[in-house]
Amino acid sequence: MYTTSSIAFGSPSRYIQGPGELYRLPCHSLPLGDRVFAVIDEFFFEKLNRELKEIYEKKGAAFISVPYRGEITKSTIDEKASVAQASATEIMIGIGGGKTLDTAKAVASRLQLPLIIIPTSASTDAPTSAMSIIYNDKHEHDDVYYYRKNPDLVLVDSQIIADAPVRFLVSGMGDAIATVFEARASLHTNSPNYINQDSGPYRGTRTASAIAELCYRTILENGHMAKISNEKHVVTESLEAVIEANILMSGLGFENVGCSAAHAVHNGLSACPNGNKALHGEKVAFGVLCQLAAENAPQKMIRRLMKFYLNVGLPLTLEDLGITPTPDTYEIIAADALQTEWIREPLHVNEEIVKAAVITAQEMGLQFKLRHSKSI
């Protein structure tokens, strides 16, 4: 697998987080260039285009933006890159959700521009990474683009996160929780990380492993209070901690160590009927339970995790994801196990073993919810 014993670590050049940071954007971007091209999620486009254009004009700088809508496809990237190039832009900015940000990454890489990433929710750990997930017009996974460098700046306005739907923050917790368990599995099997794919593969670092462990502790200690803060649209230290864990800690953890079974289960769930009704982190959270069942993890740890899931609203069962648990469902989730990241697990894997783990996780979730309902 390896041609070298080297380790590798990648990260954004800068990470800044706090309330109101979006409206200080020129402070961060002008040192990189005074002609900005932004791809903005269509939900925020009208408001942010107007406000940011006015701010930049007062600074004597140009702010050009286009709305992002639809799927991230190769043709979408081509279109946005052509507009950016015609605008003689000096710096690329992405503002919005994962597909908007991944598009900005792809354009910045193609045109060799400095890149600022501004997530509008803390639902995934994608903002910090040097990769984009590409789909086709049928909304099917098509490709993964890996880049030579991470964003120059990830800028997180915590008030915008506080005003976003609570479900996004909770989903981000599910994605972040997986980081430590997948890191432990990847390190145990000496699996490569995702840094510099063209010159690697490389092994993960102790630094990334420590970040993944801290990410897990931060979520468990602050998750419930952070959810309350989000519900009330206020920025508190607990919310700031979870935002940092969901975006920065989880992002550094997954990219620098690797994913494993939890994300493999997510991909299987996405292929099930109604599988795309649940958010990424919600499916990953259930995948964690499947991974722990396969690994025969300590029951005390699993019970603590399920209690946390119940408190914040993460899924414990397939029904919670809107997916019907049928024999066909289990077959879909377990399909082609040896072609997925299940191979990073420190155990023998085949489709029957994966199916058994998913069935066990489903039953654990059902029994835990039943006991909880009786205790109320």
Side-chain angles (χ1 to χ4, degrees), residues 176-198:
I177 282 170
T179 307
V180 70
F181 299 109
E182 296 189 302
R184 290 172 184 173
S186 294
L187 289 168
H188 191 89
T189 54
N190 204 30
S191 298
N193 62 21
Y194 305 127
I195 304 300
N196 284 36
Q197 294 284 298
D198 53 352

Side-chain angles (χ1 to χ4, degrees), residues 179-250:
T179 307
V180 70
F181 299 109
E182 296 189 302
R184 290 172 184 173
S186 294
L187 289 168
H188 191 89
T189 54
N190 204 30
S191 298
N193 62 21
Y194 305 127
I195 304 300
N196 284 36
Q197 294 284 298
D198 53 352
S199 61
Y202 296 103
R203 296 184 297 141
T205 63
R206 295 168 183 82
T207 302
S209 176
I211 291 171
E213 298 287 343
L214 178 60
C215 178
Y216 180 61
R217 294 197 303 272
T218 301
I219 294 293
L220 292 191
E221 291 168 6
N222 295 278
H224 188 228
M225 288 184 65
K227 181 186 178 186
I228 293 171
S229 299
N230 194 175
E231 289 170 341
K232 297 302 180 182
H233 306 291
V234 295
V235 177
T236 61
E237 281 302 303
S238 62
L239 180 60
E240 294 280 24
V242 169
I243 293 170
E244 182 184 349
N246 282 11
I247 296 175
L248 181 61
M249 296 183 204
S250 183

